[in-house]
Amino acid sequence: SIIAAKASLRSGVGLATITGRDNLSITEPQIMVSVQTPKGANTMLIGQGLGGAYSDDEIISFVNSMSNSVIDADIFKKECVKDILNTDKNIILTPHPKEFCILWGKCFGKEPHIEELQQNRFSYAKKFSEIYKDKVLVLKGSNTIIAQNGELYVMPLGSSALAKGGSGDALA
């Protein structure tokens, strides 16, 4: 969450707040810390380090309280992910291939093997974006795929240097 907050500040957000159940000890002076979502917040990144800290109902409440949400990491393992996708909120999903396989399984009942996904990344991304219209899928990996409403875009500028812990947090 610290990496994501730092990246958001560098990309121009007005205020970055890390929210958690406990009093968090963050030593970065430019990052706010709170046990509640700040009033006036309009975008939330949900997933980094979330684990089992929040119930499905609480997560859905977070999403419903925001105009925009970025969904990443642990959220793809939660049962409520399909409910989140069925909201009318603006949502961007940023899974890496294994997370996308888990997400696919939650949404469609059968989790593909990662090899199957990797061989058919474009068809999986297209089908997902046709079903979950208006949601934006950013399927991380070599040649990241960005999909919305059945339209696919490829980001060809990544490299293996991004295949390390924290890169996805900064992207999200």
Side-chain angles (χ1 to χ4, degrees):
S1 57
I2 293 170
I3 292 169
K6 282 182 173 182
S8 69
L9 287 167
R10 288 200 175 171
S11 66
V13 302
L15 177 64
T17 303
I18 296 176
T19 305
R21 283 216 186 276
D22 302 318
N23 288 329
L24 303 170
S25 178
I26 306 292
T27 59
E28 306 295 329
Q30 69 275 31
I31 299 173
M32 304 296 290
V33 178
S34 178
V35 294
Q36 298 178 357
T37 304
K39 290 191 186 299
N42 60 15
T43 302
M44 180 179 283
L45 168 60
I46 306 172
Q48 279 70 16
L50 185 68
Y54 293 96
S55 72
D56 285 5
D57 289 340
E58 289 172 309
I59 293 167
I60 292 169
S61 178
F62 287 146
V63 171
N64 285 331
S65 71
M66 294 291 131
S67 301
N68 311 288
S69 294
V70 178
I71 307 297
D72 190 45
D74 292 344
I75 288 293
F76 301 120
K77 300 174 187 172
K78 302 290 280 182
E79 292 300 321
C80 65
V81 72
K82 191 171 180 179
D83 295 327
I84 290 169
L85 292 173
N86 287 321
T87 67
D88 63 352
K89 299 296 183 174
N90 295 321
I91 303 214
I92 300 172
L93 302 96
T94 60
H96 59 57
K98 180 60 180 165
E99 290 168 340
F100 185 75
C101 289
I102 293 167
L103 172 65
W104 188 275
K106 297 282 185 203
C107 292
F108 305 113
K110 185 171 188 258
E111 189 176 314
H113 292 285
I114 198 159
E115 296 81 14
E116 165 69 18
L117 170 67
Q118 292 293 71
Q119 291 174 3
N120 300 288
R121 289 167 42 93
F122 291 96
S123 61
Y124 273 97
K126 183 174 177 66
K127 182 174 181 181
F128 185 90
S129 72
E130 288 172 340
I131 293 169
Y132 291 102
K133 294 189 180 308
D134 298 322
K135 307 306 183 217
V136 177
L137 172 66
V138 180
L139 180 54
K140 296 181 281 194
S142 178
N143 295 321
T144 294
I145 299 170
I146 303 166
Q148 184 179 28
N149 296 325
E151 300 245 355
L152 302 179
Y153 303 88
V154 177
M155 173 57 170
L157 301 176
S159 75
S160 60
L162 294 173
K164 62 179 76 165
S167 295
D169 299 316
L171 169 68

